[in-house]
Amino acid sequence: MTENKPVRVRFAPSPSGDLHVGNIRTALYDWAFARRTGGTFVLRIEDTDKSRVTDEYVSSALGTLRWLGLDWDEGPEAGGDYGPYQQSQRLDVYADWAARFLAAGDAYHCYCTPEELAQRREAARAAGGPSGYDGHCRNLTPAQVAAYQAAGRRPVLRLRMPDGTTTFTDLVRGEVSFDHAFVPDFVLQRADGSPLYTLAVAVDDVLMKITHVVRGEDLLSSTPRQLAVYRAMGVKEADFPVFAHLPYVLGQDGQRLSKRNGVVSVNWYRNEGFLPEAICNYLALLGWSPGENRESFTLAEMAAEFDLARVNKNAAQFDVRKLEAINGDKIRALDPAGFAARITPFLQDAGLVASPATAPEAGLVAAAAPLIQQRISRLTEAVSMLGFLLAGDEDFAVDADDAAKVLTAESGRVLKAAEAALAGADPWERGVIEAGLKHALLDELDLKPRVAFAPVRVAVTGRRISPPLYQSIELLGRDRTLRRLEHAIGLAARAS
């Protein structure tokens, strides 16, 4: 095995779209294992299928990993001694190994058409036998080969699976065995010479000296094929990588997480205001725990404690509500300046702040951010919470439903009293604002706080739910506050 070798672990996505949460959990465990052992984290892009994997998706994958803090030691843009690290740039390597397997007799050309394969599979099923490839072309005579070639058939290349069983010890699942009767000869190379996953992944793992293969459980069944390629390459069993197959991630319906039963794209969560540290924290818990019922930790803390032997082999269920709760905790743990910096891009996307922010805008965001930091669970909520403060008079609007509920005819006298109290507030600061409003509304009008302040809140912020009222009014300023109260008085009058 590989116990005495420096750890080299790889994350090898085939990005045909945005990376999804299952991909990222695998990358996270790969990264943490490398960091815990002082090993090397290799990023390899499996992009031989150019009809599905585009440069745009590859670039997006790299950006997502960087955003999450999962830095790689070797790979695209980082370099390394075993590159190139994109499979589309290694086609000559795979072609060379395919030719070696063919020359050594470990592989053979198969001329069967898809229609013939389908017919024979159906016949095997009907007879109750294995329905995989039946070895039809394993021992073709020269005459049979000539006949196929004369008919214009272009062959694929298949590896010969020996009789017997493949048994290996998986770090997560324990001892696993596969009867080769159910692992038929498999295709290494298409008729056009392009490699399949089974060829490229094994060749790359050997040439890149990968010691541990940490990947999803859905690839468990491909392991005997991968080991067969290792043997054909002349790798001794003692030098095989160690495998660790991670449990499935399920949706709320108990089915494997997919677009059908939940949002799987990590970029969607990023755009919805989830922090990278929250995503990593939560995904780490889908199969692993630092123990002692701890649910909150940093990437560095995870890297210091991660152990593949403690990965649970049972499937984990993805719960957005749990992720949101962790996200809220991480938001509250940010320092004020860091929080302001995190919400600014969302305010810019909403057109509330320029890009880059002007000095007055940046100052206002910095002053307002502490008012909402304890109240939100997603960064996107900053837009609705602070929109009243950053919008100009021409863009400010009172929520229609909140106005209907609160800015009634009876609220007119409340708003007028608030306007009079605030017009004389001096200096314009929270303490004076609070004292003036409480005296005018609670003492003079003898109102309950809920009745007194709800109309003022809706008038000033446009919503019944907002940051703390007195601080909001202070930041909004005297002139804008009085204009909004005047506008709300008009709305209340029309409600009568």
Side-chain angles (χ1 to χ4, degrees), residues 318-466:
F318 187 88
D319 185 348
V320 175
R321 292 170 300 179
K322 180 65 174 177
L323 170 58
E324 194 164 58
I326 291 176
N327 199 57
D329 291 340
K330 298 292 186 182
I331 285 175
R332 290 184 282 278
L334 294 170
D335 64 80
F339 175 66
R342 301 287 188 108
I343 63 174
T344 295
F346 293 93
L347 299 173
Q348 291 170 329
D349 289 343
L352 295 170
V353 172
S355 183
T358 65
E361 288 173 338
L364 190 55
V365 171
L371 304 184
I372 66 170
Q373 187 169 357
Q374 304 301 313
R375 290 172 165 78
I376 67 174
S377 58
R378 300 189 188 189
L379 297 178
T380 47
E381 295 174 65
V383 173
S384 59
M385 293 289 276
L386 297 183
F388 80 94
L389 188 61
L390 298 165
D393 287 345
E394 66 280 4
D395 297 318
F396 174 76
V398 176
D399 181 84
D401 290 338
D402 287 348
K405 290 183 175 70
V406 176
L407 299 184
T408 62
E410 292 75 17
S411 69
R413 70 187 187 110
V414 177
L415 295 169
K416 289 177 181 177
E419 181 184 33
L422 292 176
D426 186 29
W428 188 264
E429 60 184 25
R430 173 192 167 178
V432 175
I433 291 168
E434 180 178 0
L437 285 176
K438 285 182 174 180
H439 176 72
L441 305 182
L442 303 185
D443 298 336
E444 295 293 327
L445 297 184
D446 194 26
L447 298 173
K448 300 293 185 183
R450 181 180 63 81
V451 177
F453 296 117
V456 179
R457 185 181 300 277
V458 172
V460 172
T461 71
R463 304 166 71 240
R464 286 186 296 164
I465 299 175
S466 75

Side-chain angles (χ1 to χ4, degrees), residues 154-373:
R154 300 176 64 196
V156 299
L157 186 69
R158 290 184 183 272
L159 191 84
R160 297 179 189 273
M161 279 298 293
D163 294 333
T165 301
T166 290
T167 300
F168 63 95
T169 300
D170 186 282
L171 291 181
V172 174
R173 310 195 66 79
E175 187 175 279
V176 182
S177 292
F178 288 90
D179 185 340
H180 291 184
F182 301 97
V183 188
D185 296 351
F186 56 93
V187 178
L188 296 171
Q189 191 178 53
R190 298 182 183 89
D192 63 3
S194 60
L196 269 74
Y197 170 82
T198 45
L199 172 62
V201 69
V203 167
D204 284 347
D205 283 348
V206 170
L207 299 185
M208 294 181 183
K209 301 187 183 302
I210 300 303
T211 62
H212 293 76
V213 175
V214 182
R215 60 187 184 181
E217 186 180 346
D218 55 314
L219 293 171
L220 179 63
S221 62
S222 72
T223 307
R225 298 175 175 84
Q226 197 162 336
L227 298 183
V229 177
Y230 295 161
R231 292 188 183 95
M233 294 179 72
V235 180
K236 296 178 181 179
E237 194 158 327
D239 294 326
F240 285 179
V242 177
F243 285 82
H245 288 90
L246 308 177
Y248 289 122
V249 178
L250 306 180
Q252 289 297 295
D253 58 0
Q255 301 300 309
R256 286 178 58 185
L257 193 64
S258 69
K259 294 178 181 178
R260 294 186 303 275
N261 61 1
V263 178
V264 296
S265 165
V266 170
N267 278 338
W268 183 87
Y269 291 97
R270 178 180 184 176
N271 294 335
E272 284 296 305
F274 288 87
L275 301 178
E277 48 265 58
I279 293 174
C280 288
N281 190 153
Y282 178 63
L283 292 182
L285 292 171
L286 297 181
W288 175 84
S289 164
E292 299 178 350
N293 294 318
R294 285 175 56 204
E295 290 195 332
S296 180
F297 42 83
T298 65
L299 269 180
E301 289 168 342
M302 179 188 179
E305 301 181 42
F306 186 76
D307 186 351
L308 283 170
R310 288 169 56 191
V311 173
N312 195 325
K313 65 181 179 181
N314 297 323
Q317 192 169 64
F318 187 88
D319 185 348
V320 175
R321 292 170 300 179
K322 180 65 174 177
L323 170 58
E324 194 164 58
I326 291 176
N327 199 57
D329 291 340
K330 298 292 186 182
I331 285 175
R332 290 184 282 278
L334 294 170
D335 64 80
F339 175 66
R342 301 287 188 108
I343 63 174
T344 295
F346 293 93
L347 299 173
Q348 291 170 329
D349 289 343
L352 295 170
V353 172
S355 183
T358 65
E361 288 173 338
L364 190 55
V365 171
L371 304 184
I372 66 170
Q373 187 169 357

Side-chain angles (χ1 to χ4, degrees), residues 9-15 19 23 26-27 30 41-47 65 85 87 197 200-201 204-205 208 210 213-215 219:
V9 64
R10 48 74 165 176
F11 175 55
S14 181
L19 293 182
N23 294 141
T26 298
D30 278 321
F41 178 44
V42 179
L43 175 62
R44 187 174 73 222
I45 303 296
E46 299 185 348
D47 63 341
L65 291 172
Y85 293 90
Q87 288 187 337
Y197 170 82
V201 69
D204 284 347
D205 283 348
M208 294 181 183
I210 300 303
V213 175
V214 182
R215 60 187 184 181
L219 293 171

Side-chain angles (χ1 to χ4, degrees), residues 109-111 137 139-153 155:
H109 282 137
C110 173
Y111 293 86
C137 293
N139 299 296
L140 295 177
T141 66
Q144 289 173 312
V145 171
Y148 281 135
Q149 291 177 341
R153 295 198 183 190

